[in-house]
Amino acid sequence: MFEMQGIRMMHCTIWTEGVREIISAEDSSIKFIVSDHPITIYNYASPPEARICRYPNDPTIALKASQTIFPLNCNFCLILTNLEYAKDASTSIFRWNEITAHRQRQAARSSAPLYALAQRIESETFAFPKGIPDIETFASEATFAAYHKLMADIFRYLCRLGDHRPKPNLEAHLAAHFAKVHSTTQTAMRKSGADTRPAQISCMFPLGGIQDNNVNRLLLMSSSERHLPNVPMAFFING
């Protein structure tokens, strides 16, 4: 009995400290399911097919990345995200693994766009300047402005892809353009003599984008009225 009370107190503490989010299905034809046992625990590291999640089990609430999902009625659902995960989800290797798993599940349904570009980026080494003055210098140089234009072109292409068919020729052009820009900028950085640190970049451009509940939560809290529902691309710097 005392053990059960301790577990309940622990759960209450985790929920009280967690980040609260209410999502709505008012504009959707599909509603939330309300039953006599509506609470579900979701954890990206324990997918529904995992042994720990076999019916009637859920991942434990005590796990760092667990989220408690509680339908309030058919139109509203309360999500409680454990504080540690909510505070540092988008910049951690755990969040990157979650996004990677999403891409792998999606790859079974459709081929990812810009595959050649992703392969080129991930095969290259990037030199990152260590000093703030060097960062400011490179940011103001016209040579490095080519990166900005390239990212803008990629962003526009991915945002329009949902309404159009993939364009193999354009994707090949973007991959070739990256190779040229990367070679020019990295050569310029080496010649500058700046103190740099090498790193690899992993990237993904999943069809339909990536939905990040933590970003959406921050936008909701800031009363943002104009924002993208999905992030079209993601990068992870390892170095």
Side-chain angles (χ1 to χ4, degrees):
M1 179 177 179
F2 290 108
E3 182 179 355
M4 289 299 298
Q5 289 179 343
I7 292 175
R8 290 170 184 164
M9 289 297 296
M10 179 183 69
H11 289 175
C12 290
T13 301
I14 292 174
W15 286 328
T16 302
E17 294 177 345
V19 175
R20 292 172 290 279
E21 174 184 15
I22 295 179
I23 57 178
S24 170
E26 288 183 303
D27 297 329
S28 174
S29 59
I30 301 175
K31 303 298 182 179
F32 299 114
I33 298 176
V34 181
S35 68
D36 58 348
H37 185 65
I39 297 179
T40 300
I41 309 301
Y42 171 75
N43 190 299
Y44 78 90
S46 301
E49 62 271 17
R51 184 173 60 181
I52 194 176
C53 297
R54 288 178 183 172
Y55 181 83
N57 298 322
D58 283 331
T60 173
I61 296 173
L63 294 175
K64 177 178 179 179
S66 288
Q67 295 176 287
T68 304
I69 303 172
F70 190 166
L72 303 174
N73 54 41
C74 63
N75 284 321
F76 294 98
C77 180
L78 171 65
I79 299 178
L80 300 173
T81 301
N82 288 3
L83 182 62
E84 286 183 306
Y85 183 62
K87 286 173 61 178
D88 191 28
S90 59
T91 58
S92 70
I93 186 62
F94 303 105
R95 176 55 180 155
W96 181 254
N97 290 338
E98 179 182 4
I99 296 173
T100 302
H102 168 79
R103 180 178 67 172
Q104 291 172 346
R105 290 192 297 269
Q106 188 182 59
R109 298 193 298 268
S110 59
S111 58
L114 295 174
Y115 178 77
L117 174 62
Q119 292 293 101
R120 279 186 175 272
I121 292 176
E122 293 181 351
S123 67
E124 297 289 347
T125 299
F126 293 76
F128 287 86
K130 295 182 179 180
I132 294 178
D134 289 330
I135 295 175
E136 293 176 343
T137 299
F138 293 134
S140 62
E141 289 186 3
T143 302
F144 291 85
Y147 270 131
H148 296 282
K149 184 180 184 305
L150 175 62
M151 289 297 108
D153 291 341
I154 295 172
F155 179 84
R156 282 192 293 268
Y157 173 70
L158 291 172
C159 288
R160 297 170 182 170
L161 196 57
D163 301 324
H164 302 85
R165 291 184 177 181
K167 298 180 179 180
N169 291 339
L170 177 56
E171 293 193 11
H173 168 73
L174 291 172
H177 186 44
F178 162 77
K180 181 179 179 181
V181 170
H182 182 70
S183 176
T184 302
T185 54
Q186 296 300 299
T187 299
M189 194 174 296
R190 285 194 298 270
K191 290 182 177 179
S192 70
D195 186 15
T196 61
R197 179 176 181 177
Q200 303 292 128
I201 295 182
S202 298
C203 60
M204 58 182 68
F205 311 102
L207 188 64
I210 304 163
Q211 186 177 28
D212 191 318
N213 292 332
N214 295 287
V215 173
N216 290 340
R217 181 183 299 110
L218 292 174
L219 291 169
L220 180 65
M221 293 172 63
S222 66
S223 301
S224 171
E225 296 181 357
R226 297 184 62 186
H227 58 268
L228 294 174
N230 298 298
V231 179
M233 52 187 173
F235 300 89
F236 183 77
I237 301 173
N238 185 14

